[in-house]
Amino acid sequence: DLMTSREMFRRSGLSANAMNKFISPTLAVGLFAPPEDLSAAVVLELLDFYALRTTASFDVRWSKGPIAKSIFGPLVAKIESNGGKIQGSSYVSRVETKEDGTVELEVLVGSKAKAKKQVVKADAVVFATSIKGMKSIVASSPSLGSRPEFARINSLRSIDAIATKLWFEGSIPTRFPANVVIGDDVGRLGMSAHTYFAIPGGDEERPGEDVTAISSDFYGSTALLPFSDEEIVDIALDSITKCDRAFKDAKLVDTAVLRFPGAVTHFSPGSHKNRPSQRTSHPSLFIAGDYVKGRLNGALGLSQERAYVSGLHAANLVLTERLGLGDGAKAEILETADDELHVKVARELAVGLDARRI
């Protein structure tokens, strides 16, 4: 974990060509940072999970319909049908732990200028936030900051990201459905990477329209955050046009730009010692997110799968460790697929060779 992935690959004899054409683009889209700024241990986890164990998992999958409608809508409905309550436009500003094991949350509801304060008492709390959000809560909560695992979170880093979506008139045959852009232009703009994906079916957010939808994202994009939406769209267009001339004369009919400052976990060298476990030193506090450590199942490295699985596991911990809260059913956590045959054989050979050396 203390070694950079670039140093690990250099010592392994990886060629510059393989580094530039495969490793750097893969890490740019998988961990959102260049090899010299990533933990070698986490990079090995990522490559094992995505590129070796089940190679089909490396392909991009798109939701059939808008994510808000097809994924989050049913999730909210299920929570509410089970007696839960979703409170939007609110954020936790302070956490206080009590001697009886309960927790008080100070919640601000509404815009920051006119926010109303609420105090919520809880028997158990799962922090399901980004590193940036967790840092903000810890900074305003002395009862958390005094606990080593929460204090160490302040040493973790996060990465800025910008997501754009571009709609072009008509059906445009893209050269490749998924593209990772690196090189001088990316570095000059202060980004670690830029990607763009062709969304199959023209994107169900605009049903019935004859359009080509492109999802274009920028990672490590701190330098771009002050840019206007129009400037960011121009940068995306310039990059896409250089890579695929089919878009050279395409007519742009609509755009969307979303900024996510500090939203992505940065697995920098040496970060493992500061990453929290899901259990904490307080019996009622648990943490979920892709940055928690400990083997949850096969979902390793930075991934939405890991964040999701850690949420299920945190819910199960509440049931098993905060007894008396009810008889809720545990969430089922599926195991990932077994190694593909060629990887399984290679692992067995490697283990056998190590045993012979011993």
Side-chain angles (χ1 to χ4, degrees), residues 35-102:
E36 60 271 18
D37 207 14
L38 290 170
S39 156
V42 175
V43 165
L44 289 175
E45 285 185 347
L46 175 90
L47 294 177
D48 173 40
F49 181 51
Y50 279 112
L52 290 178
R53 183 170 301 181
T54 50
T55 51
S57 298
F58 204 64
D59 297 333
V60 176
R61 300 288 198 277
W62 294 102
S63 167
K64 293 182 178 179
I67 290 176
K69 181 180 179 180
S70 59
I71 297 179
F72 289 107
L75 176 61
V76 169
K78 185 172 184 179
I79 291 172
E80 292 177 339
S81 69
N82 282 289
K85 179 183 178 182
I86 304 293
Q87 183 167 290
S89 301
S90 59
Y91 64 95
V92 175
S93 58
R94 186 181 176 90
V95 175
E96 289 288 346
T97 55
K98 301 298 181 181
E99 292 183 3
D100 63 358
T102 61

Side-chain angles (χ1 to χ4, degrees), residues 64 90 114 122 220 224 264 297 341:
K64 293 182 178 179
S90 59
K114 300 179 180 179
L224 293 188
V264 181
N297 73 340
L341 181 60

Side-chain angles (χ1 to χ4, degrees), residues 308-325:
Y308 176 71
V309 169
S310 71
L312 298 179
H313 187 57
N316 290 343
L317 288 174
V318 171
L319 288 175
T320 57
E321 302 197 9
R322 291 293 288 140
L323 301 178
L325 296 187

Side-chain angles (χ1 to χ4, degrees), residues 296-299 305 308-309 312 316 331-337:
L296 305 172
N297 73 340
E305 292 87 352
Y308 176 71
V309 169
L312 298 179
N316 290 343
E332 181 184 9
I333 299 178
L334 303 177
E335 287 298 321
T336 53

